[in-house]
Amino acid sequence: MTKLSCPFCYNAIKRRSELFFLCRGKPTATRPACRPEPDEARRNLTGFAEPTLPAFEAVTENLMLPRNRAQCPHCLGETTTRACPHCHTALPMEFGTDASPMVAMVGARGTGKTVYLTVLAEELQKPKIRKEFRASVRTIGDGQDGFGAQTQWVRQNIRQVYRDRKLFEATAQAIGGRKEPVVLEWRGEHTGLLGRRKFRTNYLSFYDTAGEDLSTDGQTYNLHYLSAADYLILLLDPFQLPEVQRLLRLPPAATRHSIDGEPPIGVLHRITDALKRGDHWNGRQITVPIAVAFAKMDAYYRHVDETHPLRRTRRRPGGYDSTAGRTIHEQMAALLNQWGGAEIDDHLRGHYRSYQYFAVSALGAEPDYENNMVDPRGVRPDRVEEPLLWLMHQGGLVPRAST
Ligand SMILES: Nc1nc2c(ncn2[C@@H]2O[C@H](COP(=O)(O)OP(=O)(O)OP(=O)(O)O)[C@@H](O)[C@H]2O)c(=O)[nH]1
Ligand SMILES: [Mg+2]
Ligand SMILES: [Zn+2]
Ligand SMILES: [Zn+2]
């Protein structure tokens, strides 16, 4: 079995049989049903503080009951809902049968992490992806109790950006170092052995960490998420490179989010140092694949016409297109050098075994930086899915686009 970790608390689960059950609060003839109560372990590990029904270990003493159901030891009610043995968060039925990679999103303050993650979550759920990958993607929780609160804030973020066209305030440091990740279920059709079609369900968990928080005291949870992650997305903000600020003549409001931040190379050093303290360091290199995505590329596109390779190159659908990916990578590497970011390129080459550059724009057009509002024509994302497709392709979860 592939390595399995809880998508909510990122703790390892050795085997599926280790999963707990969650009481459903169904009354029985003999005892009153359990009621939701605050769960200390869940609060400590995920920050989720609402009352929940109790979780309990799966015991096999009742041989009459198959292992996919259990009896709550408190109320004797029956349940089939599984839960994480560490944080007690309910897990979907299919969890643990296929790979469930965890994606840590890192970047300096103000690089656009919250906007990117919100837009990515919404775009992956659209019919375009469904058709292309014969996959259905949803934030988990829809219609299942126990997930409601988790999906709620993702939905609210999506509504805020797409419908109300409002951007976010700086994301607060997580209380006690913890905040809830965004968990997406990707259920896709694959061609298996002998050409047989089969379904596979992968859970993708995204956790957003500001690079500046990595070395602050009390942020050990950020380190925990980082070292448990299977993939990394490093979001770089071109606006933080002095050459870009000159070239694009950005208004002061466009760079205010990062005004007292350190330069991107400083934040990258911090991220590398944090990774060196975990399992992703083999003594010479960081082994976890890292997609290095340049955010806010819409602002740069103002300055080049439509025939520029960065704008003209489009990926072929159906999987990860390595030819288009290579072109974008090379274009971005060249731009990074022109923009005075050669140090970043050197650092990545010297420390990371597998990295690739991406050019993304979550908003597709420049916002009103002053008033924190999306362009009146709305959100029109450009290539936001590409870093993820590359990572999923590395993990064998997405095929190569056909030629
Ligand atoms: N031009 C352009 N600007 C963007 C885009 N995405 C984000 N921004 C700008 O970047 C600002 C910060 O975005 P956030 O997503 O809140 O940044 P963050 O990385 O979450 O910031 P912290 O929470 O402080 O770490 C936004 O208010 C916008 O001004 C984009 O796609 N294009
Ligand atoms: Mg944020
Ligand atoms: Zn019970
Ligand atoms: Zn957990």
Side-chain angles (χ1 to χ4, degrees), residues 62-75:
N62 189 343
L63 295 173
M64 298 303 283
L65 285 173
R67 270 234 298 238
N68 56 6
R69 60 180 68 234
Q71 208 169 32
C72 171
H74 314 288
C75 68

Side-chain angles (χ1 to χ4, degrees), residues 216-246:
T216 331
D217 289 341
Q219 292 296 317
T220 46
Y221 258 80
N222 284 324
L223 291 180
H224 163 70
Y225 282 105
L226 210 56
S227 55
D230 302 285
Y231 307 138
L232 298 183
I233 296 179
L234 168 66
L235 211 55
L236 287 180
D237 182 357
F239 296 6
Q240 292 178 11
L241 297 166
E243 281 302 319
V244 176
Q245 285 174 20
R246 256 195 300 280

Side-chain angles (χ1 to χ4, degrees), residues 25-88:
K26 283 196 199 126
T28 49
T30 48
R31 288 197 206 180
C34 292
R35 286 175 179 282
E37 274 176 42
D39 182 320
E40 197 67 12
R42 183 159 178 197
R43 194 173 59 87
N44 286 340
L45 290 172
T46 68
F48 183 90
E50 312 277 310
T52 53
L53 283 157
F56 55 91
E57 213 173 325
V59 281
T60 42
E61 51 193 49
N62 189 343
L63 295 173
M64 298 303 283
L65 285 173
R67 270 234 298 238
N68 56 6
R69 60 180 68 234
Q71 208 169 32
C72 171
H74 314 288
C75 68
L76 305 182
E78 242 186 49
T79 174
T80 55
T81 305
R82 307 311 296 258
C84 167
H86 307 283
C87 71
H88 305 164

Side-chain angles (χ1 to χ4, degrees), residues 68-130:
N68 56 6
R69 60 180 68 234
Q71 208 169 32
C72 171
H74 314 288
C75 68
L76 305 182
E78 242 186 49
T79 174
T80 55
T81 305
R82 307 311 296 258
C84 167
H86 307 283
C87 71
H88 305 164
T89 306
L91 293 168
M93 221 44 123
E94 291 96 337
F95 177 78
T97 47
D98 296 302
S100 292
M102 294 167 297
V103 189
M105 259 221 357
V106 286
R109 287 233 160 272
T111 46
K113 297 179 298 299
T114 306
V115 172
Y116 177 72
L117 197 48
T118 302
V119 169
L120 181 65
E122 170 66 2
E123 295 303 311
L124 291 177
Q125 296 182 72
K126 287 196 169 160
K128 190 165 162 273
I129 291 283
R130 184 156 61 231

Side-chain angles (χ1 to χ4, degrees), residues 265 333 336-349 357:
I265 185 73
L336 184 56
N337 275 291
Q338 278 174 34
W339 287 346
E343 274 181 301
I344 296 179
D345 195 39
D346 289 343
H347 182 91
L348 288 166
R349 196 167 337 103
Y357 294 127

